[in-house]
Amino acid sequence: MSITGAMNAAISGMRAAARGSEIVSNNISNALTPSYGKRGLELSALSYGATGGVRIDGITRHMNEGVAADRRLADAAQQNTQAAVSFFRQLEDIAGLAGDSSGLGGRLAAFEESLITAASRPDAVERLGNTVTNAQWLVDGIGNAARDIQEMRTRADTEIAQDVQTLNTALQQVEQLNAQINTTRSRNGDSPALLDQRQAVLDTIGAIVPINVVPRDNGTVAIYSEGGAVLLDITAAEIGFEQQNIVTEFQTVDAGTLSGLTLNGQDVRTSALGGGRLGGNFAVRDTYSVQAQAQLDALARDLVERFADPAVDPTRGAGDPGLFTDAGAAFDPLNEVGLSTRLSLNAAVDPEVGGEVTRLRDGLGAVVAGPAGDATLLNSLRTALDTARAPASGGFGTGARSAADLFSSFSSALATTRSNAEQDLSFSSARLTELTGLQMSEGVDTDQELQNLLLIERAYAANARVIQAADAMLETLTRL
């Protein structure tokens, strides 16, 4: 090899060492960067005749796609269960835990206790007034819980709209990145930064919808949902959704009053895009909230029908509402949906609308005041609460229950459902943490990178020494 060839070979070695040090520094600085794939320098021997050296073939991005795919699915599952847990926790805060004095069960117990107190002194108007106050407090608790459920449905609808917008934007970004990666690869270029960027966008999509990413030519990918929907194959799909400003208890997807999803203008099953945060919000809006609302309506119906029995208060006329009413009127079993928000106290006993608290003692339909010491009607009202009767709706089963037992069943079922959802969340969170740690462990190893840096430093110094020696030889020749 000539002196010039030796110098060229050494220069190529220094160039490779410099590029290697750049890659090592990038790897170390991005060791904790999500979606970053470790870089590696690809080298090969360069030989043309008597001239040698090293050639930089490119930069390779190292990423375990199998682990990345599993982590995305775990993230989707965690997001899905988190939506359920958040809903049930909020609902439990609204309805109150068992034994919570301000919860629905506690309000019913306060109303029953005030009836007992009033029956012991039916002539004490202040005790009758306290009973009316507690009855109104119970009505307010049920109504507020129902309205809060509809607010959670509205919030879920809003979050669905936001997720759909994010999903459409992310799919378009992947389409554009695919095109850029394809162009770069066609020109024999490297695209690790583009791959990192696409990985981050895929992670965003994977949190909303569980996806399968399928490799295509020249580094491009296609995206399919776990439910079988084609989200991207050359071109990005367009997901459609119509947001509602307010969601009421009467609105459902089946009735056509709430929006489902469309894929490129065609209706698509929600389950086709379920399993992630999007599916979790749909479950909150269309399943969990609807079931909770139905159970609250069943509790309200049970209260209304208990006190609408003619045997409880014989002073009422036929068809007149009892102590609890449907917006002031008698309850129609065919109009149960939304009863919990319409539940109201009979105006005859409500002083705020001109009623008399003494009608609790004398009867809702009494035209004259009865004996002040007669507790017959008050005892009948209490008996109505304690009477075991089978709930007509709400999915509570066919067993006969008192009002307190029915309210307790609602709270217990809610606590059990919330506990089960938290167990699912604990499992999915642990799985996500484990897979995230596994992905990080297969990423940048800073110890290994520092060792590589020492090797690069030695190689650089050795190549520099070759150049120094060649320079000394040339200087000797020039002195001849």
Side-chain angles (χ1 to χ4, degrees):
M1 177 183 290
S2 66
I3 295 176
T4 303
M7 292 187 69
N8 288 335
I11 290 173
S12 70
M14 293 181 69
R15 186 183 299 114
R19 191 66 183 275
S21 63
E22 177 186 350
I23 291 174
V24 168
S25 64
N26 281 332
N27 284 342
I28 293 175
S29 63
N30 287 283
L32 299 178
T33 301
S35 305
Y36 179 81
K38 181 178 66 174
R39 271 63 157 165
L41 186 63
E42 297 297 321
L43 303 173
S44 63
L46 179 62
S47 179
Y48 295 108
T51 303
V54 64
R55 176 173 54 205
I56 299 175
D57 294 326
I59 300 174
T60 303
R61 178 178 181 268
H62 300 282
M63 172 68 71
N64 189 326
E65 296 297 339
V67 174
D70 288 342
R71 188 197 58 77
R72 277 196 299 267
L73 293 176
D75 189 16
Q78 195 268 348
Q79 295 284 341
N80 186 273
T81 52
Q82 181 63 64
V85 168
S86 296
F87 170 80
F88 288 117
R89 284 176 177 172
Q90 291 179 56
L91 182 58
E92 199 169 38
D93 289 340
I94 293 168
L97 300 172
D100 184 358
S101 60
S102 60
L104 297 183
R107 295 180 185 223
L108 178 67
F111 171 56
E112 184 173 14
E113 183 179 351
S114 63
L115 277 174
I116 296 173
T117 302
S120 66
R121 283 286 308 277
D123 59 318
V125 176
E126 65 278 3
R127 297 191 180 188
L128 297 174
N130 185 55
T131 303
V132 170
T133 298
N134 284 326
Q136 185 62 57
W137 192 41
L138 175 59
V139 168
D140 292 342
I142 295 175
N144 290 337
R147 283 183 283 273
D148 287 341
I149 288 175
Q150 298 315 311
E151 288 181 4
M152 286 191 284
R153 291 188 76 197
T154 301
R155 187 161 56 250
D157 190 81
T158 300
E159 291 177 358
I160 291 171
Q162 293 171 348
D163 281 340
V164 168
Q165 182 179 3
T166 301
L167 184 58
N168 284 325
T169 300
L171 290 173
Q172 292 170 5
Q173 289 174 344
V174 174
E175 179 184 343
Q176 295 169 3
L177 288 168
N178 271 347
Q180 294 174 13
I181 291 169
N182 182 51
T183 300
T184 302
R185 293 286 181 89
S186 299
R187 296 173 180 172
N188 295 321
D190 298 320
S191 56
L194 294 176
L195 294 175
D196 284 345
Q197 188 175 357
R198 189 177 67 186
Q199 183 75 36
V201 179
L202 289 174
D203 289 345
T204 298
I205 296 173
I208 299 173
V209 176
I211 57 175
N212 290 318
V213 179
V214 181
R216 292 287 190 255
D217 295 336
N218 282 338
T220 61
V221 296
I223 305 174
Y224 298 87
S225 75
E226 282 282 284
V230 181
L231 299 180
L232 184 145
D233 198 347
I234 301 177
T235 59
E238 179 71 22
I239 315 299
F241 178 78
E242 295 182 7
Q243 179 183 350
Q244 297 291 319
N245 292 328
I246 298 177
V247 178
T248 68
E249 59 269 26
F250 301 101
Q251 292 179 288
T252 62
V253 174
D254 294 337
T257 51
L258 282 180
S259 173
L261 293 174
T262 61
L263 186 66
N264 293 328
Q266 301 296 318
D267 290 339
V268 63
R269 294 176 293 105
T270 302
S271 59
L273 298 175
R277 187 169 65 241
L278 184 65
N281 283 323
F282 266 109
V284 168
R285 193 196 69 172
D286 298 332
T287 302
Y288 306 144
S289 295
V290 173
Q291 291 174 350
Q293 179 68 50
Q295 290 182 326
L296 281 177
D297 289 341
L299 294 180
R301 176 176 180 173
D302 183 74
L303 275 178
V304 171
E305 291 181 339
R306 283 179 183 277
F307 296 99
D309 187 342
V312 174
D313 183 0
T315 66
R316 292 186 300 110
D320 289 344
L323 181 60
F324 297 101
T325 72
D326 183 352
F331 169 63
D332 180 1
L334 299 179
N335 188 29
E336 182 177 342
V337 175
L339 176 62
S340 51
T341 59
R342 303 190 306 270
L343 184 66
S344 62
L345 193 61
N346 197 310
V349 299
D350 189 355
E352 293 188 2
V353 292
E356 299 286 343
V357 297
T358 53
R359 289 186 181 274
L360 279 176
R361 179 191 63 205
D362 302 332
L364 296 175
V367 294
V368 296
D374 187 358
T376 302
L377 184 54
L378 292 171
N379 287 324
S380 295
L381 294 175
R382 179 195 171 190
T383 300
L385 280 177
D386 293 336
T387 299
R389 60 191 302 273
S393 59
F396 291 104
T398 58
R401 294 181 176 88
S402 67
D405 289 339
L406 190 62
F407 275 67
S408 178
S409 295
F410 173 72
S411 298
S412 297
L414 179 57
T416 300
T417 305
R418 186 260 309 153
S419 178
N420 291 337
E422 286 181 339
Q423 289 180 6
D424 292 340
L425 178 61
S426 177
F427 171 77
S428 59
S429 297
R431 179 167 174 255
L432 176 59
T433 300
E434 183 68 21
L435 288 170
T436 301
L438 179 60
Q439 186 176 16
M440 295 293 290
S441 68
E442 295 186 354
V444 177
D445 184 343
T446 53
D447 290 339
Q448 182 62 50
E449 294 299 323
L450 289 174
Q451 292 178 22
N452 292 340
L453 187 60
L454 289 175
L455 294 176
I456 290 171
E457 181 183 3
R458 292 174 183 174
Y460 190 90
N463 282 288
R465 184 70 183 89
V466 170
I467 293 175
Q468 185 181 19
D471 179 66
M473 291 179 186
L474 288 173
E475 185 177 353
T476 300
L477 286 175
T478 57
R479 289 199 301 264
L480 293 178

